[in-house]
Amino acid sequence: MMSQLICQSKRLPLFVLLLGVLLPAAVAAENLGQIRSTSAGYKIEKELNSNARVEAELTLQQQDLLKRLSFENTNKIPDKKSREQVIQSHIDNALKGESQRQVSASPALYANSVYRDFYIYDAYSRLFVDNDYDGFYQTFSVTFDADVSGAYINETANVFAELYLSRNGGPWEHYYTTDIFNIFGDATDDDYEVLTTLESGFTTDHYDVLIDLYEVGYGDVVATVSSNDFDSLYALPLESSYWDDEYIVIETEHGGSMSLWGILVLLALGLSRRNLARRQS
């Protein structure tokens, strides 16, 4: 409830701003079909172990993190890539790195020559922000537990992950690359969470999630899971924040009600009529 109150207090000044700006940045991005999202990845202690999707509240720290990252990404041009393109880029980079090491005769700084098995033991999603209460969320998180096994009991590895969304069974589209993080054997307290707000370009629909795990220094995917493996990664009800505006109802003297967008339409019509009258005079 507190998060909703905070959000409303910040949207009311925006209402005034819209009177002078007919096409704000979010509207322009949505009309251009520009895909934009803000994500933050971090390691967490295991909070729950469930394959059932759950609804949760954002903490103040999570809210502040997403706001800061969204501000930092305002002028960045989104890089839209398919899963095939991302995989190929990692393979190309690994081959280039190997070629450079052979030329310089220097050892690999990151790659480990010992064969190890990687797997993602658990993965689940959580849904956070649905301002208009239509059952579709603009903010969600994906949490996964990556493990490694090898010749040693306490095997460790440096890894990172690529995350993808598929709209209603369509192609996988990349939306986030995690930082490099360390995993320890089959430890259960080293989950990694990716918190995401979809800002524009995501039509209201159901989206599946796929996670590819990479070991640093190698080009091939070492482990992967998707909605085929965990029900909680299947058919997430999501939409852009552009489509998830709060529905503020304003009571009129006649006992009726009108939404914020209805008021905006009437004001826009009033301004256009005033301008037309001025031109005619």
Side-chain angles (χ1 to χ4, degrees):
M1 185 65 180
M2 182 59 68
S3 64
Q4 295 169 7
L5 292 176
I6 293 174
C7 189
Q8 286 184 0
S9 67
K10 291 188 176 182
R11 285 181 182 269
L12 289 178
L14 180 61
F15 170 76
V16 178
L17 179 61
L18 285 172
L19 298 181
V21 183
L22 297 179
L23 284 178
V27 177
E30 192 72 28
N31 290 338
L32 291 173
Q34 187 179 76
I35 292 180
R36 186 184 295 276
S37 63
T38 297
S39 298
Y42 41 81
K43 293 186 71 173
I44 62 171
E45 294 185 359
K46 186 177 291 294
E47 297 181 359
L48 55 88
N49 184 1
S50 172
N51 288 327
R53 186 163 53 239
V54 296
E55 184 176 4
E57 292 289 335
L58 287 173
T59 65
L60 291 177
Q61 291 82 358
Q62 289 174 321
Q63 293 179 41
D64 292 340
L65 181 60
L66 287 176
K67 289 175 184 176
R68 176 174 58 81
L69 291 176
S70 179
F71 179 78
E72 293 175 354
N73 294 335
T74 299
N75 297 321
K76 292 183 179 179
I77 300 176
D79 187 12
K80 181 180 178 181
K81 289 185 178 181
S82 67
R83 187 186 180 212
E84 290 76 16
Q85 289 173 320
V86 173
I87 291 176
Q88 188 60 51
S89 68
H90 286 303
I91 293 175
D92 293 342
N93 289 335
L95 292 175
K96 185 184 299 182
E98 180 63 26
S99 176
Q100 291 174 349
R101 286 192 294 270
Q102 291 177 357
V103 171
S104 62
S106 61
L109 296 178
Y110 298 105
N112 191 326
S113 60
V114 178
Y115 178 80
R116 293 177 291 186
D117 287 321
F118 293 84
Y119 49 97
I120 298 177
Y121 175 76
D122 189 22
Y124 59 88
S125 63
R126 292 190 290 173
L127 304 171
F128 288 99
V129 179
D130 176 20
N131 287 329
D132 56 9
Y133 302 102
D134 64 348
F136 290 86
Y137 295 73
Q138 60 170 284
T139 301
F140 69 104
S141 72
V142 173
T143 306
F144 58 95
D145 177 14
D147 294 328
V148 58
S149 63
Y152 304 99
I153 296 178
N154 296 320
E155 195 74 45
T156 65
N158 291 320
V159 298
F160 65 94
E162 302 284 10
L163 279 77
Y164 304 84
L165 287 175
S166 166
R167 177 190 169 193
N168 198 23
W172 295 109
E173 293 187 351
H174 179 260
Y175 77 93
Y176 186 65
T177 302
T178 72
D179 293 331
I180 295 172
F181 60 98
N182 193 255
I183 57 176
F184 301 86
D186 58 355
T188 59
D189 59 351
D190 60 350
D191 286 10
Y192 197 94
E193 182 173 63
V194 175
L195 180 67
T196 300
T197 290
L198 305 178
E199 296 176 350
S200 65
F202 293 88
T203 303
T204 302
D205 212 327
H206 292 87
Y207 293 79
D208 297 343
V209 177
L210 182 144
I211 307 167
D212 279 339
L213 187 71
Y214 290 83
E215 183 180 11
V216 175
Y218 291 95
D220 294 330
V221 177
V222 295
T224 184
V225 294
S226 68
S227 50
N228 293 328
D229 305 288
F230 295 100
D231 291 340
S232 186
L233 303 182
Y234 173 74
L236 275 64
L238 303 174
E239 63 184 358
S240 299
S241 57
Y242 171 80
W243 299 111
D244 191 36
D245 218 357
E246 288 178 299
Y247 190 77
I248 300 176
V249 177
I250 302 175
E251 296 294 334
T252 66
E253 294 180 357
H254 301 287
S257 62
M258 185 173 296
S259 70
L260 174 60
W261 289 110
I263 295 293
L264 282 176
V265 170
L266 290 178
L267 288 172
L269 289 174
L271 289 174
S272 63
R273 288 178 180 176
R274 179 183 299 179
N275 292 332
L276 179 60
R278 287 179 179 177
R279 287 196 297 269
Q280 291 176 346
S281 61

